[in-house]
Amino acid sequence: MEPLLGVKIGCLFALLALTLGSGLVPICFKWFRIDAATGRHRQVLSLLGCTSAGIFLGAGFMHMTAEALEEIESELQKLMAQNRTDSEGNSSDVDSAYMEYPYGELIISLGFFVVFFLESLAVQCCPGAAGRSTVQEEQWGGTDILELHSHGPLPSPSRSPLRALILLLSLSFHSVFEGLAIGLQPTVAATLQLCLAVLAHKVLVVFGVGLRLIQIGTGSRWAVFSILSLALMSPVGLAFGLAVVGGDPEQERGLTQAVLEGVAAGTFLYVTFLEILPRELAGPAAPLAKWGCVAAGFAFMAFIALWA
């Protein structure tokens, strides 16, 4: 077996084992179940949820969005260069005007609005999907409070599973492309460097997904199945890179993949801003501590982005 192939197979199993383990930790330990927690235990879990929200925010902006914009711009430049060659340089002004348009931002916004439309359509067609009234009582730290806050009402629990599914799908798309990138690396050093960078943020993100699934009341079997499916995505992408393109680093990734990454980034940002952050910040307790935890999670992902 060639050393490079052996390293990539090792990375495949490392991605599977570490992401699966990190995602199962909050599911398997009852300590992470916020519905049964009281007092200081509940406050600690709330701050941990805020940290995971910051991690999601950092992953959305510093990793998924940044990578999607880079890929879309790169593929568009290739397309424009090919068109310029075919037309023998007669449309350089037109190409320049096209390149100045923010296509990447448009595609990411499209992903955001597609999910927004689908969720609005589901609520319109099935009014029961809206769940409970937005003015309701919830137990928070032993005190009954109305879900009225300057940040708006908490998302309805019945809608949270839909957003959790969207979150899993967007992360799955992104994970496949991350694994594919690892499978395309030409050297052992480049493979290990990229694999470590992916693991550094993926372990935290999958842990946050497991925590989110538990906090919205997902059944243990479905939560485990969701984490297992998500953990398999990067190894599947890596195996695809090895089997189909043979680890050729010159293989074109294609505009289609770049567009899919952009749409996935948009859906991820939708869930982050309309589900995760509002839910974590809606409680009235310790607002500065919550801000600090969100900022710490984001800062850590921004730090990892130096190598990812």
Side-chain angles (χ1 to χ4, degrees), residues 6-43:
V7 168
K8 290 182 178 180
I9 292 176
C11 290
L12 186 152
F13 285 105
L15 285 168
L16 176 61
L18 293 178
T19 53
L20 181 61
S22 65
L24 291 179
V25 166
I27 297 174
C28 296
F29 292 93
K30 293 183 178 180
W31 188 87
F32 291 96
R33 297 182 180 274
I34 196 169
D35 55 345
T38 58
R40 184 174 295 274
H41 181 196
R42 188 180 184 90
Q43 189 175 26

Side-chain angles (χ1 to χ4, degrees), residues 27 33 161 210 213-227:
I27 297 174
R33 297 182 180 274
L213 292 174
I214 289 300
Q215 288 183 348
I216 66 175
T218 306
S220 297
R221 290 185 178 180
W222 281 109
V224 170
F225 176 78
S226 299
I227 293 298

Side-chain angles (χ1 to χ4, degrees), residues 85-153:
T85 300
D86 294 340
S87 61
E88 298 180 355
N90 293 330
S91 57
S92 58
D93 294 338
V94 177
D95 288 347
S96 177
Y98 278 127
M99 285 301 298
E100 291 177 358
Y101 189 83
Y103 291 102
E105 289 81 354
L106 177 64
I107 292 171
I108 292 172
S109 301
L110 178 64
F112 184 99
F113 279 103
V114 165
V115 178
F116 192 7
F117 170 75
L118 291 176
E119 186 173 6
S120 300
L121 182 64
V123 176
Q124 179 72 28
C125 296
C126 305
R132 300 178 298 173
S133 170
T134 55
V135 180
Q136 55 188 314
E137 291 186 347
E138 184 183 54
Q139 195 75 14
W140 182 271
T143 304
D144 288 330
I145 60 171
L146 287 177
E147 287 185 2
L148 291 176
H149 187 263
S150 59
H151 294 286

Side-chain angles (χ1 to χ4, degrees), residues 206-265:
V206 176
F207 175 86
V209 171
L211 186 64
R212 178 64 41 191
L213 292 174
I214 289 300
Q215 288 183 348
I216 66 175
T218 306
S220 297
R221 290 185 178 180
W222 281 109
V224 170
F225 176 78
S226 299
I227 293 298
L228 177 60
S229 300
L230 181 58
L232 284 171
M233 293 299 104
S234 286
V236 166
L238 198 158
F240 181 80
L242 289 174
V244 177
V245 300
D248 181 9
E250 300 300 325
Q251 179 76 18
E252 292 187 4
R253 303 180 68 178
L255 184 59
T256 301
Q257 176 180 324
V259 170
L260 288 175
E261 286 201 61
V263 172

Side-chain angles (χ1 to χ4, degrees), residues 171-187:
L171 283 174
S172 296
F173 272 116
H174 185 66
S175 296
V176 169
F177 298 141
E178 285 180 333
L180 182 61
I182 295 173
L184 291 174
Q185 294 306 303
T187 65

Side-chain angles (χ1 to χ4, degrees), residues 47 72 126 235:
L47 295 179
I72 292 170
C126 305

